[in-house]
Amino acid sequence: MIDTLRLTAEEANAMLTQGDASSDEIYRAYLDAIGVRDPELHCYLHVCENDGGEGIPIAVKDVIGTKGIPTTAGSKILEGYTPVYDSTVVERLRARGLRILGKTNTDEFAMGSSTENSAFGPSHNPWDPSRVPGGSGGGSAAAVSAGLAPWALGSDTGGSIKQPSALCGNVGLRPTYGTVSRYGIVAFASSLDQVGPVARTVRDCAFLYSVIAGRDECDSTTVELPRPVEVPQDEDVRGLRVGVPKELNEAEGIEPGVTEAVRAAIAKLEELGAEVGECSLPLSVEYGMPCYYLIAPAEASSNLARYDGVRYGYRADAAERLEMYQRTRDEGFGDEPKRRILVGTYALSAGYYDAYYGQAQKVRTVIKREHDALFETFDALVSPTSPTVAFPLGARTADPLAMYLSDLLTIPSCMAGLPGLSIPCGLSEGLPVGLQLVGPQFAENTLFRLGHALERAIGFDTVPERLR
Ligand code: GLN
């Protein structure tokens, strides 16, 4: 009997190499678990009956292109689209023998914080199915949390790996911008999008990062990692300097239970020998959101121009060409992509470009510098990942601004291109609380060390209470 609820990728791999189970047996065990629990949770938009390879399974967010496997990005406009090539990250999974279980649910074009913007209906949080799993990568996070995949790939533009990982009690890494290829990924905002791992442990997360990271000839924004990924072995964090940015820890709207769990974890870091000190990120937290909500929609409006009914997926019936374009986009896109296309097109239009997009780019530089200055004193920064625990389905759908605030704490470091790791640090009201560690560019190894030590010290049980 393979208990997929508890199995880490590392343990699944050990079963395989020690001959305790075959690749097929492990793959089948996950398909069986999906058959039992996915009807309630709706983590998957597509489940593979089978997939080649000799290794362990993995789930892949549906914005990541997979040869021969449907890829919709949660949008009706891509319904029926099956890529003819693999994205680079998927090629790298395949090179290690990893087998794809299926494609996980996402807000349409990764725009959202709850999966409620998916054209195919939301996913549910395995800790409490009346609540959201976070987003946009809620499908990947919920799948890992419910034992429907040992690990998964997500994508993060402003928080879509870190925030759902926090809400579902997983470990999620948003890598340094430029360390993971975007080739073959459905583009949202190209200067922000990064693919990264979602897992049950920091070690699994580090291992999966080592599989996907590094220079890719097909994505000119990628670089080789300056040093190899170190999968953490011990719990030694002595001497590491950890900053506690006041504004990220005291922002309005952070729930008391979240603050309490994060404070307790920070105290543990000190006990483990880290040097903890207060610091400040005043401009980044105040201007991060408005700046993101100009730059991301501006880039999205350009990236989404390609969906015109000619090249991919959905095409509306129409007597002539212009009408076909218009009706395809009207019927194919949901409300959130339309909202962003409108805002983005406006921000980029002649006469407004300098005032909005140009200004936002300047603010982005300020945010980057403010972070860089702190890293002269600190090796990493700590805060909650999400201001709140998982919220009820429907609670924020009528108010886009309330939904946008879900990413208040994850967006600033994304704007600065920095890596961020979210680990579960406790419960509030019976729901997981995520702790965010942010480092300077290419400091993933430091985040893994801190995250691993904390994870051991906290001893968080990642299996949702109702499934134990
Ligand atoms: N929730 C944010 C948005 O809607 C971030 C999404 C993401 O990281 N893909 O833009």
Side-chain angles (χ1 to χ4, degrees):
M1 198 18 219
I2 298 172
D3 180 8
T4 63
L5 265 175
R6 295 232 165 250
L7 204 61
T8 64
E10 189 171 7
E11 288 162 354
N13 203 48
M15 284 180 94
L16 197 60
T17 50
Q18 289 158 15
D20 297 334
S22 69
S23 174
D24 277 339
E25 281 164 347
I26 298 173
Y27 192 84
R28 290 279 142 211
Y30 282 96
L31 285 188
D32 289 347
I34 292 168
V36 173
R37 281 192 287 273
D38 205 49
E40 180 191 29
L41 299 174
H42 193 227
C43 306
Y44 285 92
L45 293 179
H46 178 86
V47 179
C48 301
E49 297 286 296
N50 200 350
D51 193 55
E54 307 286 300
I56 65 168
I58 188 163
V60 174
K61 186 179 179 184
D62 205 30
V63 298
I64 298 171
T66 40
K67 183 177 177 179
I69 305 173
T71 301
T72 68
S75 181
K76 196 178 158 194
I77 211 163
L78 275 173
E79 206 170 4
Y81 169 62
T82 302
V84 293
Y85 66 101
D86 272 328
S87 51
T88 297
V89 286
V90 166
E91 241 174 35
R92 291 182 182 185
L93 301 182
R94 294 208 180 285
R96 299 296 189 102
L98 290 169
R99 302 169 67 173
I100 296 174
L101 283 162
K103 305 299 292 291
T104 55
N105 198 10
T106 167
D107 286 291
E108 190 172 355
F109 291 103
M111 298 170 178
S113 308
S114 69
T115 72
E116 290 165 297
N117 293 334
S118 167
F120 307 106
S123 300
H124 298 256
N125 193 309
W127 290 77
D128 174 353
S130 72
R131 290 174 187 263
V132 304
S136 62
S140 281
V144 171
S145 161
L148 310 187
W151 55 6
L153 286 185
S155 72
D156 191 298
T157 305
S160 282
I161 291 173
K162 296 184 282 184
Q163 186 259 13
S165 298
L167 271 45
C168 290
N170 298 323
V171 180
L173 172 75
R174 175 202 162 83
T176 302
Y177 184 82
T179 60
V180 180
S181 170
R182 288 179 294 106
Y183 181 71
I185 311 303
V186 177
F188 165 9
S190 307
S191 76
L192 289 152
D193 299 344
Q194 274 295 279
V195 170
V198 177
R200 197 169 284 125
T201 64
V202 174
R203 280 176 60 88
D204 278 0
C205 198
F207 187 72
L208 187 49
Y209 179 57
S210 77
V211 172
I212 59 173
R215 167 87 186 147
D216 173 21
E217 299 260 289
C218 298
D219 177 354
S220 62
T221 61
T222 55
V223 290
E224 206 47 78
L225 296 187
R227 47 201 102 75
V229 175
E230 287 161 21
V231 177
Q233 308 283 355
D234 57 36
E235 280 105 84
D236 187 9
V237 296
R238 275 170 303 170
L240 283 178
R241 301 158 306 167
V242 181
V244 186
K246 190 170 167 300
E247 297 78 6
L248 281 180
N249 284 274
E250 293 169 18
E252 201 186 315
I254 302 182
E255 291 174 347
V258 169
T259 300
E260 203 179 304
V262 171
R263 287 241 168 96
I266 294 173
K268 282 223 159 70
L269 266 182
E270 265 188 306
E271 281 168 33
L272 290 166
E275 292 166 24
V276 176
E278 280 243 340
C279 59
S280 183
L281 275 173
L283 300 173
S284 301
V285 181
E286 183 167 358
Y287 298 112
M289 289 281 289
C291 182
Y292 174 87
Y293 278 100
L294 279 168
I295 289 177
E299 294 184 14
S301 71
S302 166
N303 276 326
L304 269 53
R306 74 191 73 181
Y307 303 104
D308 54 9
V310 176
R311 281 166 292 188
Y312 315 89
Y314 181 74
R315 176 186 294 186
D317 281 335
E320 64 75 48
R321 184 171 37 117
L322 188 61
E323 190 193 343
M324 189 279 285
Y325 290 155
Q326 288 171 338
R327 289 192 41 204
T328 295
R329 288 170 70 81
D330 182 28
E331 293 165 21
F333 286 131
D335 286 349
E336 191 60 30
K338 280 180 186 156
R339 206 153 23 232
R340 304 218 187 179
I341 290 168
L342 287 171
V343 170
T345 306
Y346 181 79
L348 289 178
S349 49
Y352 295 109
Y353 183 99
D354 287 337
Y356 293 112
Y357 187 72
Q359 188 67 13
Q361 290 291 23
K362 290 179 192 160
V363 173
R364 190 172 185 180
T365 302
V366 170
I367 293 173
K368 168 130 196 339
R369 289 194 185 139
E370 196 172 68
H371 280 82
D372 288 347
L374 286 188
F375 291 124
E376 285 172 15
T377 317
F378 296 106
D379 298 300
L381 307 175
V382 64
S383 73
T385 307
S386 158
T388 70
V389 293
F391 46 91
L393 283 147
R396 298 185 190 173
T397 40
D399 182 355
L401 284 181
M403 190 69 88
Y404 295 173
L405 281 173
S406 310
D407 301 295
L408 179 71
L409 311 176
T410 51
I411 278 179
S413 56
C414 294
M415 296 301 292
L418 302 174
L421 181 74
S422 181
I423 66 160
C425 70
L427 295 175
S428 167
E429 298 165 40
L431 296 163
V433 175
L435 171 140
Q436 171 177 243
L437 290 162
V438 167
Q441 273 188 314
F442 310 115
E444 276 81 355
N445 288 341
T446 308
L447 304 185
F448 294 145
R449 261 176 76 191
L450 285 164
H452 176 72
L454 254 187
E455 171 183 79
R456 291 285 166 100
I458 294 169
F460 182 84
D461 186 347
T462 56
V463 179
E465 262 163 9
R466 56 184 279 278
L467 298 178
R468 281 176 206 161

